[in-house]
Amino acid sequence: MVVKIWIGTQIDGIIYRSPDEELDKYRPIVRLILKVFKYVTQEDEDKLLEIFILATEDAFQKEEEETVSDIMGILMMYMSKTDKKITEDKLMKKIDQLEGKGEKIMTILEERELRGIEKGIEKGIEKGKIEVARNLLSLGLDIDKIVKATGLSEEDIKKLLS
C-alpha cells in the first residue's frame, strides 16, 4: 500500500512539473489524459476546463472518435470526483466562453443527454405497461388478453402474480 502511494505521488509530481511542451510530444489522446491529470491538481478550475476542451478537440481531429469519446467520458467522471467537482454544466459554460472551441464535445454531451431522456421514457413506458397489467389482473382478465393489451410477455405477467 505504501509503495503504491509513493509511486502515485512520484508520477503525479512528474506530470505536475512537466511543461505542456513536454506533454505535447505524445499522441493527442495521451496528451489529453496527461494534461487532465496535471491540471486537476492545480487550483485554477477555469484553466483545467480550457485545457480539457482544447486537448479533447485536438484528439477528436487526430484520433478515432469513439475512443476519444470514451476517454472523454472517463475523464469527465474522474474530474467530477475531484475536489473541483467538474460537471457537464461547468464544461458547457466554458465551451460557450471559448466561442467555437468544443463544438464536438458539446454535440456528444447533448447526444448523451438525449439518450438518457430516451432511456427514461422507455423505462416509464415499461412501468406503465406493468401497472396496466397489474390492474387488469386485479380485474380478473385472462393472461392472454393482458398479453395482447400490454405487449408484455406471458412470462412477465405470470411474474406479477407471485
Side-chain angles (χ1 to χ4, degrees):
M1 179 71 165
V2 173
V3 172
K4 261 185 173 177
I5 294 170
W6 182 82
I7 290 171
T9 334
Q10 296 306 307
I11 291 170
D12 285 348
I14 292 166
I15 293 170
Y16 183 74
R17 287 191 309 268
S18 297
D20 283 353
E21 297 76 35
E22 181 71 21
L23 301 178
D24 286 343
K25 70 181 182 185
Y26 296 101
R27 284 183 42 204
I29 197 80
V30 176
R31 271 197 308 263
L32 168 61
I33 295 166
L34 292 176
K35 286 184 177 185
V36 166
F37 285 163
K38 175 181 178 178
Y39 285 95
V40 80
T41 60
Q42 296 182 10
E43 304 245 343
D44 191 354
E45 179 181 288
D46 200 50
K47 181 72 172 171
L48 169 62
L49 288 169
E50 184 174 334
I51 291 293
F52 177 75
I53 292 164
L54 297 177
T56 302
E57 284 292 301
D58 183 46
F60 272 124
Q61 291 174 8
K62 299 171 184 160
E63 303 275 354
E64 192 175 312
E65 186 174 315
E66 187 176 343
T67 302
V68 177
S69 183
D70 290 345
I71 296 295
M72 184 186 96
I74 292 166
L75 290 173
M76 285 290 302
M77 202 177 328
Y78 169 71
M79 291 187 298
S80 74
K81 304 292 184 203
T82 65
D83 60 335
K84 289 184 181 57
K85 306 224 183 303
I86 301 295
T87 63
E88 286 185 11
D89 287 340
K90 288 180 181 180
L91 185 60
M92 290 175 102
K93 285 178 187 171
K94 185 62 181 175
I95 289 171
D96 287 340
Q97 292 173 2
L98 291 176
E99 298 174 356
K101 300 288 183 191
E103 294 297 320
K104 187 70 180 167
I105 298 169
M106 184 78 84
T107 301
I108 288 170
L109 293 176
E110 288 168 350
E111 286 172 0
R112 287 182 182 180
E113 184 178 353
L114 288 175
R115 279 196 302 264
I117 290 169
E118 288 171 0
K119 283 183 181 179
I121 290 170
E122 288 171 11
K123 283 183 180 180
I125 290 170
E126 194 64 25
K127 283 183 178 181
K129 287 179 180 182
I130 291 169
E131 189 61 34
V132 167
R134 280 194 179 113
N135 290 339
L136 294 174
L137 283 169
S138 71
L139 294 172
L141 203 62
D142 293 339
I143 290 179
D144 34 324
K145 289 182 181 175
I146 297 173
V147 168
K148 288 179 185 175
T150 63
L152 294 173
S153 69
E154 186 174 327
E155 185 180 308
D156 288 339
I157 293 169
K158 286 181 179 177
K159 286 180 187 175
L160 297 175
L161 290 170
S162 21

